[in-house]
Amino acid sequence: MSIDTEGRKTREVCAEDIALQQQYIEKVKELNFLSAAQKGKPKHYSISTFGCQMNENDSERLAGMLNAMGYTETGDIQQSDIILYNTCCVRENAELKVYGHLGALKKLKRENPDLVIAVCGCMMQQSEVVEHIRQKYGHVDLIFGTHNLYRFPELLHKALVHKETVIDIWESSGVIAENMPITRKESVKAWITVMYGCNNFCSYCIVPYVRGRERSRRVDDIVNEVKTLGRQGYKEITLLGQNVNSYGKDFGDSTDFADLLEKVNEVEGISRIRFMTSHPKDLSDKLIEAMRNCEKVCEHLHLPVQAGSSKVLKEMNRKYTKEQYLDLVSRIRARIPGISLTTDIIVGFPGETEEDFEDTLSVLKQVRFDMAYTFLYSKRTGTPAAKRPEQVPEEIKKQRFDRLLEVQNKISKEINDGLLHKEVEVLVEGLSKNSARKYSGRTRTNKIVNFKGSNELVGKLVKVRIEKIHTWSLEGTII
Ligand code: SF4
């Protein structure tokens, strides 16, 4: 295997690997064709995805490969010939759910020995998890990780032909697999992963251990994917990475995320560009300028602060202080007036005192985020923070969490109140999840708006006058 100095497999080796997977796609397709001829029905699959949008995007790739191999998606696991779990290990309760699902499939596997049960994703990058599944869930047929996802056709073929458990986990990889099939879940908005891995090692986070070091996709590959989406009628794209602000650092030249935004902004057909997640320490003035100048880049930024106390931020290894974060927010707001800001906050990090928590509340009040995603700190085995002795008692964490939510909900509602009777531009996404008779879309500032509409409007930009305000959404009428 030829690997260049930064650990990135050469494009030629990747191309060979991918060509091999195309051959396995054909082989499995042939097996399925024969099976369908014998049994008189095609094969079905179901995928359950846990965790973040990057996992969702990975599942779209797995779905693309399965469709190319002749499987059809079904939401019913009883009808499935392959049941696949794409797992997340950021929170322990998501892991417990996966074990629960696997346990419940024992009976199904007994009744249908041809059923293939597969698990992949971040959880599988932890050797103790794989061992646990091997020992306790012997009915699982295929286990693979995050680095070799693109080799799914080959691994599935092995499991189908040899009828034995296939386990294939790579500790790391420089492979960036381009041009694999993909079946996207949505038709108006699309996720595009622009980089993989993370170099930051925040002390509470398992991601760098299971997703490896940062690897950026090449600008041309991303732009080509966006052009394809534009031709297919997609209107909005979200560029994804654990920390998109460090995009390109592994190239060894000056290319950065601001350059990528400018290139993507030129693609025809696409109306809106979003991105996530941004690490405050890497958000440059050049990127703020690019956001301001690229007319398709929406006026919304998700900028996780995680805590308001500089002491806690240091212990989290976030590499910025409260003051630096506030200064960054001021610079962003000065250049992009009206931008909406959302954030992530962890409540009850080990050693968090009442004073530290008050600091978090003060940041909330000073910044006035449009929305905050708040999490109770929970120990993640394998991370430095989990080993710290001064864990905050659950009861105190919950009390702080409720206090934080109360402050934030009030701010969110007040900000939304400012939109009453205003006209906003909405990209119509489809039927509302909360009301069968209404349609739903988002403003450029990422606010959900529900309104009466029709199917012809899906994928169109419309003007809506806001008539009713809720904490998390808005209601209005198309004008
Ligand atoms: S930036 Fe920190 S929190 Fe985000 S993925 Fe990397 S290590 Fe985890």
Side-chain angles (χ1 to χ4, degrees), residues 81-127:
D81 298 280
I82 295 188
I83 300 173
L84 175 56
Y85 292 102
N86 187 7
T87 65
C88 167
C89 62
V90 169
R91 285 173 211 296
E92 234 144 31
N93 59 359
E95 290 197 357
L96 296 177
K97 269 193 200 162
V98 171
Y99 290 135
H101 285 298
L102 292 180
L105 290 178
K106 241 179 215 167
K107 186 167 166 273
L108 210 59
K109 178 76 179 180
R110 219 178 296 126
E111 289 164 4
N112 174 15
D114 288 337
L115 170 68
V116 174
I117 300 172
V119 269
C120 65
C122 299
M123 239 175 111
M124 301 310 123
Q125 291 299 136
Q126 303 168 99
S127 53

Side-chain angles (χ1 to χ4, degrees), residues 222-233:
I222 297 165
V223 170
N224 285 337
E225 188 175 346
V226 180
K227 282 182 180 166
T228 304
L229 290 166
R231 283 195 295 270
Q232 290 170 343

Side-chain angles (χ1 to χ4, degrees), residues 196-246:
Y196 300 88
C198 183
N199 291 357
N200 288 312
F201 291 93
C202 300
S203 64
Y204 51 83
C205 182
I206 195 82
V207 167
Y209 306 94
V210 295
R211 287 271 176 183
R213 299 295 76 75
E214 290 168 357
R215 287 103 58 208
S216 308
R217 290 178 64 198
R218 286 165 210 269
V219 172
D220 287 351
D221 291 329
I222 297 165
V223 170
N224 285 337
E225 188 175 346
V226 180
K227 282 182 180 166
T228 304
L229 290 166
R231 283 195 295 270
Q232 290 170 343
Y234 283 86
K235 296 291 174 233
E236 179 178 305
I237 55 155
T238 303
L239 306 176
L240 296 174
Q242 305 295 349
N243 174 16
V244 289
N245 299 347
S246 56

Side-chain angles (χ1 to χ4, degrees), residues 46 49 115 127 170 177 199 220 233-234 241 267 328 357 372 390 421 463:
S46 64
T49 310
L115 170 68
S127 53
W170 295 2
N199 291 357
D220 287 351
Y234 283 86
V267 176
L328 175 61
F357 177 66
E390 1 41 324
H421 308 310
K463 290 265 184 239

Side-chain angles (χ1 to χ4, degrees), residues 259-473:
D259 299 325
L260 178 67
L261 272 190
E262 276 161 16
K263 289 267 191 249
V264 171
N265 191 57
E266 288 165 15
V267 176
E268 278 178 33
I270 300 296
S271 316
R272 290 180 172 188
I273 301 167
R274 303 185 189 278
F275 57 88
M276 64 190 295
T277 295
S278 283
H279 195 306
K281 80 173 165 62
D282 296 313
L283 203 148
S284 65
D285 286 335
K286 181 179 170 193
L287 178 56
I288 299 172
E289 240 9 70
M291 288 176 70
R292 177 186 156 93
N293 295 334
C294 295
E295 72 285 357
K296 293 178 185 172
V297 175
C298 292
E299 294 77 22
H300 167 236
L301 181 66
H302 185 65
L303 192 64
V305 64
Q306 305 298 7
S309 148
S310 295
K311 182 200 98 192
V312 173
L313 287 169
K314 189 159 193 283
E315 285 159 3
M316 286 178 163
N317 195 29
R318 291 291 290 175
K319 300 194 176 76
Y320 53 85
T321 61
K322 171 185 177 177
E323 291 70 29
Q324 284 167 332
Y325 185 90
L326 292 174
D327 177 62
L328 175 61
V329 167
S330 302
R331 280 186 281 131
I332 294 166
R333 286 206 164 126
R335 300 302 291 155
I336 313 169
I339 189 168
S340 82
L341 293 176
T342 53
T343 198
D344 293 335
I345 293 176
I346 297 173
V347 178
F349 185 77
E352 181 192 76
T353 62
E354 177 60 23
E355 201 186 336
D356 295 324
F357 177 66
E358 295 280 344
D359 269 339
T360 300
L361 288 182
S362 95
V363 167
L364 232 62
K365 288 173 191 166
Q366 284 180 72
V367 175
R368 292 182 62 79
F369 294 104
D370 289 69
M371 200 191 277
Y373 299 88
T374 45
F375 305 92
L376 284 176
Y377 172 77
S378 72
K379 273 190 189 179
R380 195 56 278 205
T381 312
T383 61
K387 297 190 198 112
R388 293 188 48 163
E390 1 41 324
Q391 300 291 325
V392 177
E394 285 304 308
E395 206 182 303
I396 294 182
K397 274 195 236 173
K398 285 196 184 111
Q399 281 169 9
R400 288 180 186 163
F401 184 85
D402 290 345
R403 284 163 62 197
L404 191 115
L405 226 56
E406 200 183 322
V407 171
Q408 181 54 46
N409 286 354
K410 190 164 171 284
I411 294 170
S412 297
K413 177 75 167 45
E414 282 168 4
I415 293 175
N416 284 354
D417 280 344
L419 289 168
L420 191 63
H421 308 310
K422 297 258 165 67
E423 278 176 29
V424 291
E425 183 199 87
V426 174
L427 175 61
V428 186
E429 294 173 15
L431 277 171
S432 162
K433 288 191 180 110
N434 301 325
S435 162
R437 283 171 298 139
K438 290 210 167 163
Y439 281 74
S440 183
R442 282 176 193 256
T443 63
R444 284 177 65 96
T445 52
N446 211 31
K447 300 204 182 280
I448 298 170
V449 184
N450 295 311
F451 46 86
K452 280 193 184 143
S454 59
N455 259 339
E456 301 82 73
L457 293 175
V458 173
K460 301 231 162 47
L461 292 167
V462 295
K463 290 265 184 239
V464 175
R465 179 171 293 113
I466 301 302
E467 289 158 348
K468 208 166 175 189
I469 306 290
H470 305 282
T471 309
W472 310 118
S473 66

